[in-house]
Amino acid sequence: MKKMRRSERIVDLTRQFLENPHTLIPLTYFAECYQAAKSSISEDIVIVNEMFQSEGIGELVTSAGAAGGVKYIPAISIKEAKESMIKICQELSNNERLLPGGYLYMLDIIGTPKWLKTIGRMFASIFAKEEIDVIVTVETKGIPIAHATASYLNVPVLVANKDSKVTEGSVVTINYISGSTKRIQTMSLAKRALREGANVLIIDDFMKAGGTIKGMINLLQEFNAQIKGIGVFVEVDGAQEKLVEDYISLARLTEVDEKEKNIKVELGNYFKEG
Amino acid sequence: MKKMRRSERIVDLTRQFLENPHTLIPLTYFAECYQAAKSSISEDIVIVNEMFQSEGIGELVTSAGAAGGVKYIPAISIKEAKESMIKICQELSNNERLLPGGYLYMLDIIGTPKWLKTIGRMFASIFAKEEIDVIVTVETKGIPIAHATASYLNVPVLVANKDSKVTEGSVVTINYISGSTKRIQTMSLAKRALREGANVLIIDDFMKAGGTIKGMINLLQEFNAQIKGIGVFVEVDGAQEKLVEDYISLARLTEVDEKEKNIKVELGNYFKEG
């Protein structure tokens, strides 16, 4: 095999880290891969790490010893996150997006890879240090956001089903009251899906009073899960008390005038100063 | 600003291409970004392109002229696709995965980023040249696969809803018969979601007789959409005639013995020799 030049190794190193976030890769793996000395690989990694940090996309963390290696931790700078969310908020602050019941049409944002990846990176950056084992969301619109976040955190996604899906084997089911419908609904998670005591990150697309997320918390208690974080894309700012505390929102729907069809979407609590 | 070395430019070029697939980036953009001559950038791009191709992850395509630039087209070699799918098929060929009605428990595979990205890359590679404008799937388990594919093709995802969701504004609805339930169900797509005549790629997780995908085709006809491809993760091999032709499957459920609880999952029609 032809000996690889530094620039060639750097392409592959960059790719391997970007494609395998939160994954410990031993230096010996790269040394064998590229038929190069570990010292050369170490120098390559310094270059990649410095560029990742100056680009504001995260960092490479090295751990020494026999079980050591290098791990890419994705991140996004507050500045870049703010710039992206301001654009998204401007896009969302469109009266035509208002739906009956005070909901917001967001399918185009959530459905567009560029925006979805940015949102996923934001949540992955915010919760990077929480030692998350699994992300849980409830169907349907939270699913893409949960998976985008999962792709940067490198953890699996579990989707809680509403109103009894019969196709996943034995499930644990709880009742909850969705603020929107004000009626009792059910939420289920397959028994085989989640191990006892796992560290969970809850992700959802939209939160009014928090009844749905409260339902997820109650459901996860049945598995003795540890809720390490709650991330919401858009929350509704309202006089009504939230059923859930300690959540992070990226955007807030601050004004909804259903008669005049006037809406305003602003930055969420993640960007609150002080 | 400090002048960037080749190795530093190469990290950023690699990253920009991997993060922005199927996106034309002008050379002048890079030249300004890195304060470097276009000829240096061109040499960098040759290095990145050669590495991408030898890694089997796709290629950089250059177009000349005023509106020209470089575009990263993700791909996966048949060899790597086969190796990955064989592993997935072995994982799926587990009797405990058999669910009532002949369904397969696949949530753990679809929910794991590493497998999901591989499946998305496969579909994006297969349909790379079809000039896809949008990917359409139906809720719920096809959603992650559709988004994974979309992240590599850089196109939006539309999710058709089953049985009237009331929260997306005015919708187009059709009836269809799902092979599993053998009853009439409805499927809807928001009117504002899809423009007339768009090139569509249909993606779904599981196909028996194809009633659900046939429903999607009929629904899309209401928008005069052009169906450029149909991708199914797992199809069921069976005596019953499929309602849909011209689809690509990655895996096939070839044996289902519900009494003995015996199942076998093999490579799909994409890997058929000859």
Side-chain angles (χ1 to χ4, degrees):
Chain A
M1 175 178 157
K2 189 190 87 167
K3 186 169 165 62
M4 286 172 79
R5 296 175 289 162
R6 163 148 284 156
S7 50
E8 291 168 332
R9 292 198 303 268
I10 290 217
V11 174
D12 201 60
L13 276 163
T14 302
R15 175 189 73 86
Q16 296 231 33
F17 285 125
L18 291 176
E19 287 184 354
N20 297 284
H22 283 272
T23 304
L24 190 71
I25 309 178
L27 278 188
T28 42
Y29 168 80
F30 291 127
E32 280 167 35
C33 219
Y34 309 138
Q35 294 289 299
K38 276 168 81 171
S39 54
S40 303
I41 309 291
S42 293
E43 288 163 11
D44 298 341
I45 281 169
V46 167
I47 296 170
V48 177
N49 191 14
E50 278 174 2
M51 280 307 295
F52 276 16
Q53 295 196 43
S54 70
E55 292 159 20
I57 65 160
E59 57 171 345
L60 301 183
V61 176
T62 305
S63 50
V70 189
K71 193 188 278 198
Y72 167 48
I73 309 293
I76 184 169
S77 66
I78 279 261
K79 179 170 174 286
E80 190 191 337
K82 204 167 178 178
E83 282 169 9
S84 296
M85 275 316 298
I86 284 172
K87 283 188 197 144
I88 290 176
C89 289
Q90 279 166 354
E91 179 56 49
L92 287 174
S93 294
N94 178 340
N95 301 340
E96 289 177 33
R97 291 181 175 276
L98 191 58
L99 297 168
Y103 284 92
L104 211 54
Y105 181 84
M106 306 190 295
L107 286 184
D108 53 340
I109 303 283
I110 295 174
T112 300
K114 173 179 137 171
W115 291 127
L116 190 61
K117 284 181 195 177
T118 300
I119 294 164
R121 254 179 83 203
M122 277 190 230
F123 282 133
S125 183
I126 292 165
F127 299 105
K129 294 190 163 74
E130 298 297 334
E131 296 181 335
I132 304 296
D133 294 318
V134 65
I135 293 173
V136 173
T137 189
V138 69
E139 55 179 3
T140 307
K141 292 196 288 283
I143 295 175
I145 300 177
H147 275 93
T149 308
S151 76
Y152 288 101
L153 278 180
N154 192 35
V155 295
V157 174
L158 293 183
V159 180
N161 296 124
K162 286 180 188 167
D163 300 324
S164 77
K165 285 281 263 270
V166 295
T167 60
E168 303 308 335
S170 67
V171 295
V172 175
T173 302
I174 56 100
N175 291 323
Y176 74 105
I177 295 184
S178 161
S180 45
T181 59
K182 302 260 190 291
R183 60 181 178 85
I184 298 178
Q185 293 188 267
T186 67
M187 195 189 287
S188 312
L189 209 47
K191 265 195 193 161
R192 71 177 97 184
L194 182 60
R195 63 166 183 79
E196 288 274 309
N199 285 348
V200 171
L201 168 61
I202 292 176
I203 292 285
D204 211 356
D205 62 309
F206 196 78
M207 184 173 92
K208 283 181 116 180
T212 304
I213 292 181
K214 190 93 180 78
M216 269 191 268
I217 293 171
N218 291 342
L219 179 56
L220 289 165
Q221 270 164 2
E222 299 293 315
F223 293 82
N224 286 325
Q226 303 296 314
I227 316 271
K228 302 292 270 179
I230 298 172
V232 172
F233 175 40
V234 179
E235 67 164 311
V236 179
D237 230 21
Q240 70 181 155
E241 208 176 309
K242 296 272 191 270
L243 292 162
V244 175
E245 307 169 333
D246 288 330
Y247 62 90
I248 300 214
S249 67
L250 301 182
R252 279 177 313 141
L253 182 56
T254 53
E255 261 176 64
V256 178
D257 185 338
E258 284 194 62
K259 237 201 250 168
E260 300 297 315
K261 277 189 153 277
N262 238 356
I263 65 171
K264 192 156 167 58
V265 180
E266 300 183 282
L267 292 177
N269 68 20
Y270 179 60
F271 302 95
K272 204 175 274 196
E273 308 286 331
Chain B
M1 174 180 158
K2 190 189 84 166
K3 186 168 163 63
M4 285 172 79
R5 295 175 288 160
R6 164 149 284 155
S7 50
E8 291 168 330
R9 291 197 305 268
I10 290 216
V11 174
D12 201 60
L13 277 163
T14 303
R15 175 189 72 86
Q16 296 232 35
F17 285 124
L18 290 176
E19 288 184 354
N20 297 284
H22 283 270
T23 305
L24 190 71
I25 308 178
L27 278 186
T28 42
Y29 169 80
F30 291 127
E32 280 166 37
C33 220
Y34 309 138
Q35 293 290 297
K38 277 168 80 171
S39 55
S40 304
I41 308 293
S42 292
E43 289 164 9
D44 297 341
I45 281 168
V46 167
I47 295 170
V48 176
N49 191 15
E50 280 176 0
M51 280 307 293
F52 276 15
Q53 294 197 44
S54 70
E55 291 159 19
I57 65 160
E59 56 173 346
L60 300 182
V61 176
T62 305
S63 52
V70 188
K71 192 188 279 198
Y72 166 49
I73 308 294
I76 184 171
S77 65
I78 279 260
K79 179 171 174 284
E80 190 191 337
K82 204 167 178 176
E83 282 169 11
S84 294
M85 275 315 298
I86 285 173
K87 282 187 197 145
I88 290 175
C89 290
Q90 280 168 353
E91 179 56 49
L92 288 174
S93 293
N94 178 339
N95 300 339
E96 289 177 33
R97 290 181 176 275
L98 191 58
L99 297 168
Y103 284 91
L104 210 56
Y105 181 83
M106 305 191 295
L107 286 183
D108 52 341
I109 303 281
I110 295 174
T112 300
K114 173 180 136 170
W115 290 128
L116 189 61
K117 284 181 196 177
T118 300
I119 295 165
R121 253 180 83 203
M122 277 190 230
F123 282 132
S125 182
I126 292 166
F127 298 105
K129 293 189 163 72
E130 298 296 334
E131 297 183 331
I132 303 296
D133 294 320
V134 63
I135 292 173
V136 173
T137 189
V138 69
E139 55 179 5
T140 306
K141 291 196 288 283
I143 295 174
I145 301 178
H147 275 93
T149 308
S151 77
Y152 288 101
L153 278 181
N154 191 34
V155 294
V157 173
L158 293 182
V159 179
N161 295 125
K162 285 181 192 168
D163 299 324
S164 76
K165 286 282 265 264
V166 295
T167 59
E168 302 309 335
S170 67
V171 295
V172 175
T173 303
I174 56 102
N175 292 324
Y176 74 105
I177 295 185
S178 160
S180 46
T181 58
K182 300 257 188 297
R183 59 180 178 85
I184 297 178
Q185 293 188 267
T186 68
M187 194 189 289
S188 311
L189 208 48
K191 265 195 192 162
R192 71 177 95 186
L194 182 59
R195 64 167 182 80
E196 288 274 310
N199 285 348
V200 171
L201 168 62
I202 291 176
I203 293 285
D204 210 357
D205 63 307
F206 196 78
M207 183 173 92
K208 283 180 120 182
T212 305
I213 291 180
K214 190 95 181 75
M216 269 191 269
I217 293 171
N218 292 342
L219 179 57
L220 288 164
Q221 270 164 2
E222 298 294 314
F223 293 82
N224 286 324
Q226 304 295 313
I227 317 271
K228 302 291 270 181
I230 299 172
V232 172
F233 175 41
V234 178
E235 67 164 310
V236 179
D237 229 19
Q240 71 182 153
E241 206 175 313
K242 294 273 190 269
L243 293 163
V244 176
E245 306 169 335
D246 289 331
Y247 62 90
I248 300 216
S249 68
L250 301 182
R252 279 177 313 141
L253 182 57
T254 52
E255 260 175 66
V256 178
D257 186 339
E258 284 195 61
K259 237 201 249 167
E260 300 298 314
K261 276 189 153 278
N262 238 353
I263 65 171
K264 192 157 169 55
V265 180
E266 301 182 282
L267 292 176
N269 68 21
Y270 178 61
F271 302 95
K272 206 176 273 197
E273 308 284 332

